[in-house]
Amino acid sequence: MAINQAEIRNDEKGAQKELFKVVEMIHRTPERVFRSIRKRDGRIVEFNIGQIASAIFKAAKAVGGADQRLADELADVVVQYLQKRIGAAIPTVEEVQDAVEKVLIETGHAKTAKAYIIYRDRRTRLRESKSELMDVVEEILVETSRENANVSNSPSAKMLQIASAASKKYYLSRLIPEEMAAAHVAGDYHIHDLDFYGKTLTCVQIPLGKLLESGFNNGHGYIRPPHRPTSATALAAIILQSSQNDMHGGQSFAFFDRDMAPFVENADEDEVFQAMEALIYNLNSMHSRAGAQVPFSSINLGCDTTPAGRSVTKNLLLAYEKGLGRGECPIFPNIIFRLQQGVNFEPGDPNYDLFQLAMRVSAQRLNPTFSFMDSTFNRPYGAEVAYMGCRTRTIGNRHGAEVTDGRGNLSFTTLNLPRLAIKAGGDLENFYHELERMMALAARQLYHRYRVQAKLKAKDMPFLMGQGLYMDSDKLKPNDPIAPAIKHGTLSIGFIGLAETLVALTGSHHGQDPAAQRLGLEIVGFMRKLVDDFAEEYDLNYTLLATPAEGLSGRFVAMDRKRFGVITGVTDREYYTNSFHVPVSFEISSYDKVALEGPYHQMANAGHISYVEMKAPPIDNLDAYEKLLRHMAASDMGYAGINFPIDECLSCSYRGVIPEDECPSCGSPQIRRVRRITGYLSTVDRFNDAKQAELRDRSKHWL
């Protein structure tokens, strides 16, 4: 609204008359009474009336005023009011601020008073955020936060997380609009990777073939194209590391077998194996982000039927099966074997033998996981769809080619679905009304973040944009904004705790009652429809994500338990169930779990994954393993994995399920326990408390 200057001048004249009346009523002494003031931390410092006048003038300027003399006179009135109220006592900062508000209102400066109150509130929130930040820093200096299981406890990791904490406070208090920031702070939704809000993007499927064929520059000179397999895989690792340093999410190769094939054509199997083994070693030891973590790496393969492409897939799988130096299970890369009829899914397909090998390796090492190119929502794209270990899927595109390479998720925000259900109290109409409102707020927040990201320059991400990894970024000059490139990325609204939501609404989750399953599909379908509408409204690639909640899994439920109390089946555990999954503690067969979760995959077009839990590595039952994967395909899943415990003795290299705290072979307590967490593998000691609780609750699914 435009400021009416004439109205302001009239207000000021009227206010001046009121001011003179107040001044006449208050006995003024020739000397200032107050020489000191008590700060909030208890310190006593010199009293400075000029600071009061300055604060009043700033508030007046915010509503169009510009009279410094009037601000000085009002400051005098504030002092006289305080003198009359507290005498010669030392005033506190809060008492002075209360007096300013009262004097401004009683002298007819209501607009200035409102501006001052807003200013005071903003300063209070900023001060509180600084105090909270110092508390967080103190905790981090003791032990690195376990919000991310891939972050170490090193000095570099601590420094990274201190910077992260400061960045989060800055964005919430200074950059993000108040309504949007408040929703995150209150736990209505969660802005993921908040510390990188305005600095970079989430993830990308790297066009490996393009970079290897043309060479690249990662900061200190041109790297020429490789000629042999070992050089090619070494550069692949460097590419993953360099891209990770520009981003905060995962890095993936969508067509590793195809892109690596030209560099192994003239090599024998032993050379290719050595190259793949070196890649695995590098990806488990090559750190990014100033040494805080290894890159979140994913590799898609399995569909290249050329001899060279088959050699790449075969030898990577064999190297992964062999493990690290003492046979340890590799944590990275997350290998995703792409299944497609006519290529590798049926006996007689050219790569069916590689499918058999993939299952053998997976049954020992948890990887590969499996993606299904023939699902109803992937089939229209042929063999173009690829996933990341965290479940991200990027394919539809309003602004260009519907391909995977050179694209990724820009950012995502997750709704606290159980809270909406708790507040609805069983009233579905109210639930849907609030769900729509929160979805709209999340869409606006993502759009706000997108506009901030779009103003970044290509030089701000020197490898990602400067070397043309992102679609159309090769057309940008260093000082060009990245908007023409990131319009190809996705903005995702995620959800968590569908199971707890259904319990709050109906008394049962979707594993317990077919009616709850129908409602679950209706709710997620409603969310998908809204997301599609947002894509039209904003003309951007809005998508719906089955959120891979790690740190978030415990955050929402802790806040809701404090607010609503312990609700059986809803807030009575330390975590909310991931996305649309059946609760991990619910006893159900593998086939029934897959049948229940399968229909949700097509609705979560930003990414999805389902798991089946087994009590031990199924290496001796690969026929059952294959039947289960075929059931997943028949249930229209897009991406799935088989989980089981992997325990390894670090002293004698014994491997198997070790239920006790000591190795059954040598008695050593040095046990390495590998499990899957939100798509990636990690050791249990790096799980946060909520995820450790979830791990303890995981029931085994029988075949």
Side-chain angles (χ1 to χ4, degrees):
M1 177 182 289
I3 299 293
N4 189 318
Q5 297 297 330
E7 180 182 342
I8 290 173
R9 285 193 293 272
N10 289 335
D11 283 350
E12 288 180 348
K13 290 178 181 178
Q16 285 176 337
K17 293 180 180 178
E18 292 297 323
L19 169 63
F20 295 146
K21 291 179 182 178
V22 172
V23 172
E24 289 173 357
M25 288 190 295
I26 298 177
H27 173 67
R28 303 189 66 179
T29 58
E31 295 182 0
R32 300 233 183 267
V33 174
F34 304 117
R35 299 182 184 279
S36 304
I37 184 171
R38 189 182 302 278
K39 305 284 282 186
R40 288 181 179 83
D41 59 6
R43 289 180 298 123
I44 296 176
V45 299
E46 183 180 0
F47 185 90
N48 184 352
I49 192 173
Q51 292 180 348
I52 300 175
S54 175
I56 293 173
F57 184 66
K58 288 178 181 177
K61 284 183 68 176
V63 293
D67 191 334
Q68 181 64 61
R69 178 175 173 271
L70 180 58
D72 293 339
E73 291 170 343
L74 285 167
D76 279 336
V77 177
V78 168
V79 171
Q80 298 305 317
Y81 169 78
L82 279 169
Q83 177 194 356
K84 190 176 181 70
R85 184 171 177 274
I86 68 172
I90 297 176
T92 67
V93 169
E94 291 290 341
E95 287 173 332
V96 172
Q97 291 181 336
D98 289 344
V100 171
E101 289 182 14
K102 185 174 181 64
V103 167
L104 287 173
I105 291 171
E106 291 187 354
T107 56
H109 292 275
K111 293 179 181 178
T112 302
K114 183 177 180 180
Y116 179 79
I117 292 169
I118 293 173
Y119 164 79
R120 181 181 179 184
D121 177 66
R122 185 165 58 247
R123 294 284 297 177
T124 298
R125 286 190 288 111
L126 180 60
R127 186 170 56 253
E128 290 174 348
S129 69
K130 288 179 179 178
S131 177
E132 292 169 2
L133 173 60
M134 292 303 102
D135 292 340
V136 171
V137 169
E138 185 176 14
E139 292 176 5
I140 292 171
L141 288 173
V142 175
E143 181 177 6
T144 304
S145 168
R146 288 177 293 152
E147 183 177 334
N148 182 330
N150 190 31
V151 174
S152 68
N153 200 43
S154 67
S156 295
K158 293 186 193 311
M159 291 301 294
L160 175 73
Q161 292 208 331
I162 290 171
S164 170
S167 184
K168 289 177 182 178
K169 293 297 181 184
Y170 167 78
Y171 286 128
L172 286 172
S173 62
R174 299 288 186 91
L175 180 69
I176 303 172
E178 187 170 354
E179 181 186 15
M180 299 173 188
H184 172 88
V185 172
D188 293 326
Y189 64 39
H190 183 84
I191 302 172
H192 290 268
D193 301 291
L194 175 62
D195 44 346
F196 288 96
Y197 193 94
K199 289 300 179 187
T200 186
L201 318 175
T202 298
C203 57
V204 66
Q205 291 277 7
I206 299 171
L208 178 62
K210 170 185 172 181
L211 292 172
L212 292 181
E213 289 169 10
S214 61
F216 58 89
N217 186 329
N218 71 337
H220 294 286
Y222 175 71
I223 308 296
R224 66 175 178 267
H227 296 292
R228 305 301 300 175
T230 303
S231 298
T233 58
L235 293 185
I238 291 171
I239 287 167
L240 285 166
Q241 181 191 42
S242 299
S243 187
Q244 179 82 85
N245 282 329
D246 274 4
M247 309 186 78
H248 59 72
Q251 311 301 312
S252 179
F253 297 139
F255 309 102
F256 183 74
D257 45 358
R258 181 200 70 187
D259 292 349
M260 191 61 64
F263 307 98
V264 306
E265 286 180 343
N266 300 317
D268 59 34
E269 287 290 307
D270 183 63
E271 185 180 5
V272 178
F273 178 86
Q274 293 294 328
M276 299 305 156
E277 185 175 55
L279 174 67
I280 292 170
Y281 282 0
N282 280 332
L283 293 182
N284 285 276
S285 59
M286 179 182 284
H287 284 71
S288 62
R289 296 193 188 171
Q293 64 183 52
V294 296
F296 279 104
S297 55
S298 296
I299 288 178
N300 292 260
L301 44 67
C303 286
D304 190 318
T305 59
T306 67
R310 283 174 47 80
S311 178
V312 169
T313 297
K314 175 184 175 182
N315 284 286
L316 182 66
L317 291 172
L318 289 174
Y320 199 91
E321 182 181 41
K322 183 179 179 183
L324 300 178
R326 294 182 177 177
E328 303 100 319
C329 182
I331 300 299
F332 289 104
N334 192 86
I335 302 175
I336 304 162
F337 193 89
R338 302 159 72 231
L339 290 168
Q340 186 177 29
Q341 292 183 8
V343 176
N344 54 30
F345 196 53
E346 302 290 350
D349 287 347
N351 281 3
Y352 182 70
D353 61 326
L354 295 179
F355 175 29
Q356 300 299 302
L357 175 59
M359 286 190 292
R360 188 184 85 194
V361 176
S362 180
Q364 301 172 74
R365 298 295 194 183
L366 289 169
N367 275 325
T369 47
F370 296 87
S371 61
F372 303 92
M373 298 298 99
D374 296 305
S375 62
T376 57
F377 45 90
N378 286 337
R379 189 185 305 127
Y381 304 103
E384 183 58 38
V385 176
Y387 288 82
M388 294 187 186
C390 61
R391 77 198 61 191
T392 299
R393 170 185 181 270
T394 304
I395 187 67
N397 189 5
R398 300 178 64 86
H399 298 290
E402 293 184 311
V403 297
T404 294
D405 258 353
R407 303 176 61 217
N409 186 256
L410 305 178
S411 50
F412 65 106
T413 296
T414 292
L415 266 61
N416 186 344
L417 214 55
R419 176 178 291 186
L420 296 175
I422 295 169
K423 292 171 67 176
D427 185 336
L428 280 176
E429 183 177 352
N430 178 268
F431 171 78
Y432 278 115
H433 175 78
E434 287 301 304
L435 176 57
E436 183 171 5
R437 184 181 69 82
M438 286 306 304
M439 291 280 288
L441 179 61
R444 292 199 301 274
Q445 179 270 310
L446 285 167
Y447 184 62
H448 174 266
R449 187 171 187 174
Y450 171 81
R451 288 185 296 152
V452 173
Q453 292 169 327
K455 293 177 183 176
L456 293 170
K457 294 180 172 60
K459 67 180 182 181
D460 294 326
M461 295 170 226
F463 192 72
L464 178 68
M465 297 293 170
Q467 297 304 301
L469 275 65
Y470 221 90
M471 184 183 290
D472 285 347
S473 63
D474 53 357
K475 302 173 185 176
L476 301 177
K477 297 177 181 178
N479 286 311
D480 288 344
I482 63 174
I486 68 170
K487 67 182 180 182
H488 299 296
T490 56
L491 298 166
S492 300
I493 299 178
F495 64 96
I496 186 176
L498 178 65
E500 289 79 9
T501 299
L502 294 171
V503 173
L505 291 173
T506 72
S508 302
H509 60 69
H510 47 322
Q512 297 170 318
D513 185 356
Q517 167 74 340
R518 289 192 293 273
L519 179 59
L521 291 170
E522 180 183 290
I523 290 170
V524 178
F526 178 81
M527 296 173 72
R528 171 61 186 274
K529 173 63 167 59
L530 287 175
V531 163
D532 290 346
D533 290 344
F534 297 145
E536 290 289 333
E537 179 182 352
Y538 294 95
D539 194 27
L540 291 169
N541 295 316
Y542 277 85
T543 50
L544 183 65
L545 178 68
T547 294
E550 186 175 344
L552 178 58
S553 65
R555 177 179 182 246
F556 275 168
V557 72
M559 299 176 81
D560 289 348
R561 188 187 302 117
K562 183 176 181 180
R563 180 172 175 180
F564 303 108
V566 176
I567 304 172
T568 302
V570 183
T571 63
D572 56 346
R573 296 186 184 274
E574 295 178 51
Y575 55 89
Y576 278 149
T577 301
N578 241 324
S579 61
F580 54 70
H581 292 177
V582 173
V584 298
S585 60
F586 185 66
E587 295 189 0
I588 188 173
S589 75
S590 299
Y591 282 76
D592 288 343
K593 184 177 191 291
V594 167
L596 284 171
E597 294 182 4
Y600 293 96
H601 283 224
Q602 64 177 312
M603 291 183 277
N605 59 335
H608 41 255
I609 194 169
S610 287
Y611 303 114
V612 167
E613 295 284 337
M614 295 185 174
K615 64 181 180 180
I619 185 61
D620 296 324
N621 199 1
L622 292 183
D623 287 343
Y625 199 115
E626 183 170 352
K627 288 178 182 178
L628 181 56
L629 286 173
R630 292 186 181 282
H631 178 59
M632 290 172 169
S635 299
D636 207 28
M637 285 189 165
Y639 183 35
I642 311 296
N643 291 343
F644 47 83
I646 293 180
D647 299 330
E648 303 169 333
C649 176
L650 297 180
S651 298
C652 72
S653 301
Y654 174 89
R655 179 155 50 102
V657 179
I658 305 177
E660 306 299 329
D661 293 332
E662 295 182 353
C663 173
S665 176
C666 72
S668 170
Q670 301 298 316
I671 308 300
R672 180 177 186 253
R673 302 184 188 277
V674 178
R675 305 292 187 271
R676 198 186 313 276
I677 178 172
T678 60
Y680 294 101
L681 304 188
S682 183
T683 52
V684 171
D685 58 294
R686 294 193 177 192
F687 282 30
N688 61 44
D689 291 343
K691 279 299 177 183
Q692 292 209 14
E694 182 207 277
L695 181 63
R696 290 192 297 269
D697 288 347
R698 290 181 186 177
S699 64
K700 310 308 177 188
H701 306 123
W702 62 92
L703 293 174

